[in-house]
Amino acid sequence: MKNYKKIFLILWILPIMFINWKEPAISTIDNRELLSFREIYPTVQDFFDNLDELEPLLRDRIGFRNKMIFTHGNLYNLLFQKLEHPLYEYGEDGEVFFTFREEQDRQKENLEFVAFLERADQYLKDREIPFVVAFNPGKHLVYEEKIPHNILVRPKEYEIFVKAMESSNINFVNNLDYLRGLKDETIYNKKFDVGHWTDRGAIYGITNILERFHEMDPNIEVPDFNEFTKEWVKEKYLPVSNIIINEKVEEFQGQGGFKNLDPEILNEIRRETRTDEHYRYINIFQNKDLENGKRILIFRGSFFNQKEFIYAPSFQEVVE
């Protein structure tokens, strides 16, 4: 019995001894900056005045935190089929979704955004520059029947935005209905990277957008699905977590035909371009051999990350 007590005592003391004092500290498991000792307790007196802050601070900084989360998360998933992770939760039939949070009423912001897009559209029309806006849905909208049964998703937010866009004079591509019609084609993986569409889903969604450009200018070509090559890879973990999934996913590659701009020139452009401090991404692809090719400027989100193999060959130059 004494040996058991010693083992228990050691297991209790070791995490305290190896507290993470690093400043700042980023957690790769839950993809955020950990609570800071310096910010919460800049002085000794602050420590005694704010003892309530100690518990969440220790939860963030306790030694072996990642290993404990890894062990707990995988055991819980194995034994109870439940995801113990701040980013993920299970839906129906083992489908993984980002954790559902209480929705905010953003009706006013959505309508203001549409009004902004209408002003941008008119500005560009006055200069004879085509403008297209595309709506690309998240997994919970394409696979509504798979969301957790205890979650009540209010679709009003996106419905208000889509309805306002369709009532405007903006050239609008709504990929929601299109991709819902293709949901059996694995638009999203069952578990891996559920915040983004699959390569297959991206090919369907982006080529649907390119079809609109082709209607506007027949010189803008739309790639055929059969032009892409496919391979299967195994993803061991959920992204930014150590939860084991061992899921086979498709990866596609295109035929090339475009090149990244020279890195030195691109870095110079990045230095000279005024950008938001949180969104500094700028990239340029060129396809100089494309006769009568068009140049395009894309404002995009992470859905287009590493998907340039789909759309870049259709343009002489892509700036994004």
Side-chain angles (χ1 to χ4, degrees):
M1 182 62 72
K2 290 182 179 180
N3 289 333
Y4 286 118
K5 290 182 179 179
K6 289 180 181 179
I7 293 173
F8 176 79
L9 186 61
I10 291 172
L11 291 176
W12 187 82
I13 292 176
L14 279 177
I16 303 298
M17 292 176 60
F18 288 91
I19 282 178
N20 179 7
W21 298 99
K22 184 179 179 181
E23 296 283 356
I26 306 296
S27 169
T28 57
I29 283 187
D30 37 8
N31 196 29
R32 65 177 176 86
E33 185 174 343
L34 299 177
L35 295 177
S36 169
F37 285 101
R38 293 175 184 172
E39 292 181 5
I40 296 177
Y41 297 126
T43 67
V44 174
Q45 187 59 46
D46 289 316
F47 176 80
F48 292 104
D49 292 342
N50 299 291
L51 287 175
D52 290 344
E53 302 290 339
L54 184 59
E55 183 180 349
L57 181 61
L58 288 178
R59 281 203 304 266
D60 264 17
R61 295 299 190 134
I62 194 166
F64 313 112
R65 177 180 184 270
N66 284 2
K67 289 183 174 61
M68 287 190 285
I69 291 176
F70 168 79
T71 303
H72 173 74
N74 280 290
L75 280 175
Y76 213 81
N77 185 35
L78 178 65
L79 297 174
F80 305 107
Q81 288 74 55
K82 184 176 180 180
L83 289 173
E84 285 287 298
H85 193 278
L87 294 181
Y88 302 108
E89 63 180 290
Y90 275 125
E92 300 299 314
D93 302 323
E95 292 281 345
V96 175
F97 291 86
F98 275 154
T99 301
F100 289 87
R101 307 186 189 281
E102 184 177 355
E103 295 187 6
Q104 304 297 318
D105 184 1
R106 295 190 176 92
Q107 178 176 344
K108 181 181 177 181
E109 289 87 344
N110 279 328
L111 295 178
E112 287 176 349
F113 183 51
V114 173
F116 163 76
L117 293 175
E118 288 179 316
R119 294 194 298 272
D121 182 56
Q122 188 59 55
Y123 176 89
L124 294 170
K125 281 179 179 175
D126 292 344
R127 290 154 180 79
E128 298 183 346
I129 300 174
F131 181 56
V132 174
V133 177
F135 175 63
N136 299 312
K139 181 176 181 178
H140 67 290
L141 296 180
V142 176
Y143 295 96
E144 285 185 304
E145 72 281 3
K146 298 294 186 180
I147 64 175
H149 69 275
N150 60 331
I151 299 294
L152 296 176
V153 176
R154 296 185 303 167
K156 300 299 182 184
E157 298 298 332
Y158 81 85
E159 287 180 352
I160 291 169
F161 172 76
V162 169
K163 185 176 180 179
M165 287 297 297
E166 291 177 338
S167 299
S168 71
N169 293 319
I170 299 173
N171 203 340
F172 178 58
V173 179
N174 180 6
N175 261 332
L176 177 56
D177 291 338
Y178 178 70
L179 293 179
R180 277 179 173 171
L182 295 168
K183 64 173 62 178
D184 292 338
E185 294 285 334
T186 317
I187 304 303
Y188 285 85
N189 289 315
K190 189 180 184 74
K191 296 181 179 180
F192 179 73
D193 197 17
V194 295
H196 302 94
W197 48 16
T198 61
D199 278 0
R200 178 181 290 272
I203 291 171
Y204 289 138
I206 292 173
T207 54
N208 191 46
I209 299 170
L210 290 175
E211 289 283 1
R212 183 65 57 86
F213 282 104
H214 182 73
E215 293 172 7
M216 299 160 57
D217 186 340
N219 288 319
I220 299 176
E221 296 185 357
V222 180
D224 184 88
F225 187 87
N226 294 322
E227 295 178 21
F228 301 99
T229 58
K230 180 185 74 172
E231 64 176 342
W232 290 93
V233 298
K234 180 181 284 189
E235 298 292 350
K236 186 173 182 179
Y237 301 110
L238 284 176
V240 294
S241 86
N242 285 325
I243 294 178
I244 297 172
I245 55 173
N246 287 326
E247 182 177 23
K248 282 189 175 182
V249 302
E250 295 175 308
E251 286 190 358
F252 286 81
Q253 293 182 347
Q255 301 298 319
F258 65 93
K259 295 181 179 179
N260 291 74
L261 187 66
D262 181 272
E264 291 186 8
I265 299 175
L266 183 58
N267 287 333
E268 183 64 27
I269 292 173
R270 287 169 174 165
R271 283 192 294 269
E272 294 179 355
T273 303
R274 182 186 298 176
T275 58
D276 185 282
E277 62 177 337
H278 301 295
Y279 302 97
R280 298 186 180 276
Y281 175 86
I282 297 175
N283 214 344
I284 299 176
F285 306 104
Q286 293 183 328
N287 189 2
K288 293 183 177 180
D289 295 332
L290 187 64
E291 295 184 6
N292 301 317
K294 299 295 182 180
R295 302 170 68 205
I296 185 171
L297 173 64
I298 302 177
F299 295 93
R300 66 170 184 80
S302 57
F303 269 38
F304 277 59
N305 287 356
Q306 287 85 51
K307 301 298 185 288
E308 60 271 7
F309 70 92
I310 303 171
Y311 56 86
S314 298
F315 300 95
Q316 192 174 80
E317 184 175 72
V318 175
V319 180
E320 57 181 24

